[in-house]
Amino acid sequence: QVRLVESGGGSVQTGGSLRLSCSANGDIGSSPCMGWFRSAPMKEREGVASIYTNGGVTYYADSVKGRFTISHDNAENTVYLQLNNLNPDDSAMYVCAAGTWRDGSCPRDYYDFNYWGRGTLVTVSS
């Protein structure tokens, strides 16, 4: 069984930064992709970023390109999401997910991942 544990959320003002971490315990497979999704009230769940940890291939939603950076530390089995230049629209529960690289990409849909964490809350005030 795989357990994903997120940390690093908090409250910041507009323009601030946070670094989210997702620690994976257990075997997430031989072609692992790690992704971050966010959910906020009255908004659809959004896939924010993903990374193929064996090759470093990354994906970012248009809404976060240039502001968020996903990275991984294979030795620590941890994925990070650096959030810069935050604005109130970034306020959400951020959930980490683990999936499998297939057909040249990481999954895009939340339910195409195999494992999910419980999330860490990010609140950005104006």
Side-chain angles (χ1 to χ4, degrees), residues 20 22 33-39 45-53 56-72 79-83 94-99 105-110 113:
L20 308 184
C22 172
C33 286
M34 301 294 292
W36 286 93
F37 291 82
R38 64 184 181 184
S39 300
R45 181 186 293 118
E46 181 182 23
V48 173
S50 66
I51 186 166
Y52 174 43
T53 61
V57 178
T58 58
Y59 159 83
Y60 295 95
D62 288 342
S63 58
V64 306
K65 278 181 184 175
R67 301 187 299 121
F68 291 8
T69 303
I70 190 169
S71 61
H72 67 97
V79 173
Y80 303 97
L81 187 67
Q82 178 68 40
L83 287 62
Y94 285 72
V95 175
C96 174
S105 73
C106 287
R108 289 286 184 263
D109 189 83
Y110 182 80
F113 282 79

